[in-house]
């Protein structure tokens, strides 16, 4: 049995994994899909949320587990799981980047995003007046995140998305070869992703190679558009040596 901790991406919450959790649990595994501070149903004011808070909160979950976990980060979650792996490499069996940002030491999400320049979020995000949070233009959501999803899934997401804190996105990660670098890394790329186009995903993989790369022919939200395929892939990854 493995323990999976699923870290959601920007604007989302633990709810986005609602199709994946039961599939992994039915296979006999323990699954945690927490809301990061300020996201999902967590009511921490977004104005004060920083990357370190997310890292510490997930670190507390890691400390409660009896074995190293499979830690999965979707999209912006890649920044979060990278910093967690630097802090507690001994608590992690494997890192899984799901169409996620894959930073190198000293890089921030905003740096990766702006240097590449191909993400659909660049033209569709809306900063708050005080610059402390971001939203996405409502008419852009379906094509940006859910272009392979059902209308029902899109409607659910529209109802549950919330503002994304700005501060963590501009915070550089601090990663070292002897800590973060010792944790096995796997990347799952998504071919029809408009938020992090596959060429951008592969550019990050080339700069920071992973032990294995898997591919899904779907959008930025495979937990909604291809839950069976994603769950099977996660089970395979957890049980493999790569």
């Amino acid at each position: 049995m493995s323990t999976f901790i699923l870290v959601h991406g920007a604007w989302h919450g633990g709810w986005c994994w609602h199709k994946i959790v039961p599939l992994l649990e039915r296979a006999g595994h323990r699954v945690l899909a927490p809301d990061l501070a300020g996201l999902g149903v967590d009511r921490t004011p977004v104005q004060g949320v920083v990357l370190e808070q997310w890292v510490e909160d997930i670190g507390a979950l890691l400390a409660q587990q009896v074995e190293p976990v499979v830690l999965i980060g979707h999209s912006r979650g890649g920044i979060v799981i990278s910093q967690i792996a630097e802090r507690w490499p001994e608590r992690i069996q494997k890192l899984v980047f799901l169409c996620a940002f894959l930073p190198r030491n000293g890089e921030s999400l905003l740096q990766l995003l702006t240097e590449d320049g191909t993400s659909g979020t660049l033209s569709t995000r809306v900063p708050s007046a005080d610059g402390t949070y971001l939203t996405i233009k409502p008419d852009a959501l379906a094509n940006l995140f859910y272009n392979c999803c059902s209308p029902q899934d899109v409607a659910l997401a529209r109802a549950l998305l919330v503002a994304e804190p700005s501060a963590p996105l501009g915070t550089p990660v601090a990663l070292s070869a002897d800590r973060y670098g010792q944790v096995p890394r796997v990347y799952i790329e998504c071919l029809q992703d408009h938020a992090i186009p596959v060429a951008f995903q592969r550019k990050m993989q080339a700069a920071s190679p992973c032990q294995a790369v898997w591919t899904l022919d779907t959008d930025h939200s495979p937990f909604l558009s291809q839950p069976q395929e994603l769950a099977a892939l996660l089970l395979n990854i957890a049980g493999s040596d790569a």
Side-chain angles (χ1 to χ4, degrees):
M1 184 188 80
S2 295
T3 298
F4 293 87
I5 296 182
L6 313 176
V7 179
H8 63 79
W11 299 286
H12 289 67
W15 60 265
C16 73
W17 306 102
H18 74 97
K19 295 183 181 182
I20 299 297
V21 171
L23 295 174
L24 298 180
E25 289 180 336
R26 267 182 232 137
H29 302 283
R30 174 171 165 77
V31 189
L32 301 171
D35 290 328
L36 296 178
L39 282 300
V41 298
D42 185 276
R43 291 296 173 254
T44 303
V46 293
Q47 291 82 357
V49 172
V50 294
L51 179 60
E52 178 64 17
Q53 182 174 4
W54 289 345
V55 171
E56 288 289 343
D57 288 347
I58 300 298
L61 283 182
L62 291 176
Q64 296 169 15
Q65 311 311 311
V66 297
E67 61 182 357
V69 309
V70 179
L71 184 60
I72 300 159
H74 171 246
S75 193
R76 185 264 292 117
I79 300 292
V80 182
I81 68 171
S82 296
Q83 196 60 74
I84 291 168
E86 172 70 18
R87 192 77 55 84
W88 300 286
E90 72 283 354
R91 298 182 187 175
I92 302 169
Q93 173 192 340
K94 198 167 294 185
L95 286 180
V96 181
F97 293 81
L98 175 60
C99 51
F101 289 93
L102 179 62
R104 293 177 294 182
N105 179 47
E107 291 180 326
S108 71
L109 183 151
L110 285 181
Q111 179 183 347
L112 288 167
L113 196 67
T114 55
E115 287 180 355
D116 177 77
T118 63
S119 170
T121 63
L122 289 170
S123 60
T124 56
R125 61 186 181 177
V126 181
S128 63
D130 62 2
T132 60
Y133 64 86
L134 299 164
T135 56
I136 292 288
K137 295 177 181 177
D139 60 354
L141 284 173
N143 184 60
L144 183 63
F145 294 142
Y146 314 112
N147 46 296
C148 296
C149 292
S150 70
Q152 292 80 9
D153 288 332
V154 176
L156 175 69
R158 285 186 186 279
L160 295 176
L161 293 174
V162 296
E164 173 76 6
S166 298
L169 310 183
T171 304
V173 295
L175 308 176
S176 64
D178 61 342
R179 294 185 67 79
Y180 167 79
Q182 297 307 305
V183 181
R185 298 192 302 274
V186 175
Y187 201 98
I188 302 174
E189 59 184 27
C190 293
L191 298 182
Q192 300 187 54
D193 194 331
H194 294 171
I196 307 179
V198 69
F200 183 10
Q201 296 176 45
R202 290 174 178 173
K203 181 190 294 187
M204 291 186 287
Q205 294 170 41
S208 184
C210 297
Q211 279 79 359
V213 177
W214 301 82
T215 301
L216 291 173
D217 187 15
T218 192
D219 56 17
H220 192 60
S221 304
F223 37 76
L224 297 177
S225 59
Q226 290 192 358
Q228 296 284 347
E229 293 85 348
L230 177 57
L233 187 50
L234 294 177
L235 292 171
N236 190 7
I237 289 169
S240 72
D241 293 330

